[in-house]
Amino acid sequence: MHRHEGPPRGKFAAGLAGAVVLATTAAAALIGQYDDRPPWGTDIAYEGGFVQASRIRGYDVDGSRTRALLDGECALMERQGMGGPRAVHDPAAWVAGCLDGAAGRPSRNQGIVR
């Protein structure tokens, strides 16, 4: 029976070091591009606004809060910081999601293909 010993230790160490350098470079590039905002931050912000407005709409018995949301309260809520940490990623997307949720439209992020 023949035993295979694999690559020499020097080649293995060099390959491993190269892979670590490549992964570190890729991570640094992503961090430099997005800072602390995730690449899908726009989707997170939109869904945050959509869910919040949908909840308000669901508990609104007389429709006054829903009309207020559609008349500008979504943007006011975002400016006052009521959107929470999700709105920070993309405030405009949060407001768009809030308006869609208040109007009763389906979320633009539903489905497999967007």
Side-chain angles (χ1 to χ4, degrees), residues 1 24 30 38 43 72 98 100:
M1 182 178 275
T24 303
L30 282 174
D43 293 339
C98 180
D100 285 349

Side-chain angles (χ1 to χ4, degrees), residues 1-5:
M1 182 178 275
H2 184 268
R3 182 175 170 190
H4 180 13
E5 297 180 11

Side-chain angles (χ1 to χ4, degrees), residues 39-101:
W40 52 88
T42 300
D43 293 339
I44 292 170
Y46 177 86
E47 284 301 316
F50 184 85
V51 168
Q52 188 159 354
S54 295
R55 287 180 181 161
I56 291 171
R57 186 172 186 261
Y59 287 106
D60 186 18
V61 178
D62 62 354
S64 62
R65 284 294 311 264
T66 302
R67 280 190 300 279
L69 288 173
L70 292 171
D71 290 338
E73 191 175 333
C74 284
L76 180 65
M77 287 171 56
E78 190 281 318
R79 279 195 306 272
Q80 292 176 345
M82 294 172 62
R86 293 178 181 218
V88 174
H89 295 308
D90 189 344
W94 190 92
V95 172
C98 180
L99 290 172
D100 285 349

